[in-house]
Coordinates of all heavy atoms in Angstrom, one line a residue:
K347 N 14.6 39.7 5.5 CA 13.8 40.6 6.3 C 13.4 41.9 5.5 O 12.3 42.5 5.8 CB 14.6 41.1 7.5 CG 14.6 40.0 8.5 CD 15.3 40.5 9.8 CE 15.3 39.3 10.8 NZ 15.8 39.8 12.1
F350 N 9.7 42.1 4.2 CA 8.6 42.2 5.2 C 8.2 43.7 5.3 O 9.1 44.5 5.3 CB 8.9 41.6 6.5 CG 9.1 40.1 6.5 CD1 10.4 39.6 6.5 CD2 8.0 39.3 6.5 CE1 10.5 38.2 6.4 CE2 8.2 37.9 6.5 CZ 9.4 37.4 6.4
V351 N 7.0 43.9 5.6 CA 6.5 45.3 5.8 C 6.3 45.5 7.3 O 5.6 44.7 7.9 CB 5.2 45.5 5.0 CG1 4.6 46.9 5.3 CG2 5.3 45.3 3.5
D352 N 6.8 46.6 7.8 CA 6.6 46.8 9.2 C 5.2 47.2 9.5 O 4.6 48.0 8.8 CB 7.6 48.0 9.7 CG 7.5 48.3 11.1 OD1 8.1 47.5 11.9 OD2 6.8 49.2 11.5
Y353 N 4.6 46.6 10.5 CA 3.2 46.8 10.8 C 2.9 48.3 11.0 O 1.8 48.8 10.5 CB 2.8 46.0 12.1 CG 1.4 46.2 12.5 CD1 0.4 45.5 11.8 CD2 1.0 47.0 13.5 CE1 -0.9 45.6 12.2 CE2 -0.3 47.1 13.9 CZ -1.3 46.4 13.2 OH -2.6 46.6 13.5
S354 N 3.7 49.0 11.7 CA 3.5 50.4 12.0 C 3.4 51.3 10.7 O 2.9 52.4 10.7 CB 4.5 51.0 12.9 OG 5.8 51.0 12.4
S355 N 4.0 50.8 9.6 CA 4.0 51.5 8.3 C 2.7 51.3 7.5 O 2.5 52.0 6.5 CB 5.2 51.2 7.5 OG 5.0 49.9 7.0
L356 N 1.8 50.4 8.0 CA 0.6 50.2 7.2 C -0.4 51.3 7.4 O -0.5 51.9 8.5 CB 0.0 48.9 7.7 CG 0.8 47.6 7.4 CD1 0.1 46.4 8.1 CD2 1.1 47.4 6.0

Side-chain angles (χ1 to χ4, degrees):
K347 286 186 179 183
F350 293 100
V351 177
D352 185 76
Y353 180 78
S354 63
S355 72
L356 298 175

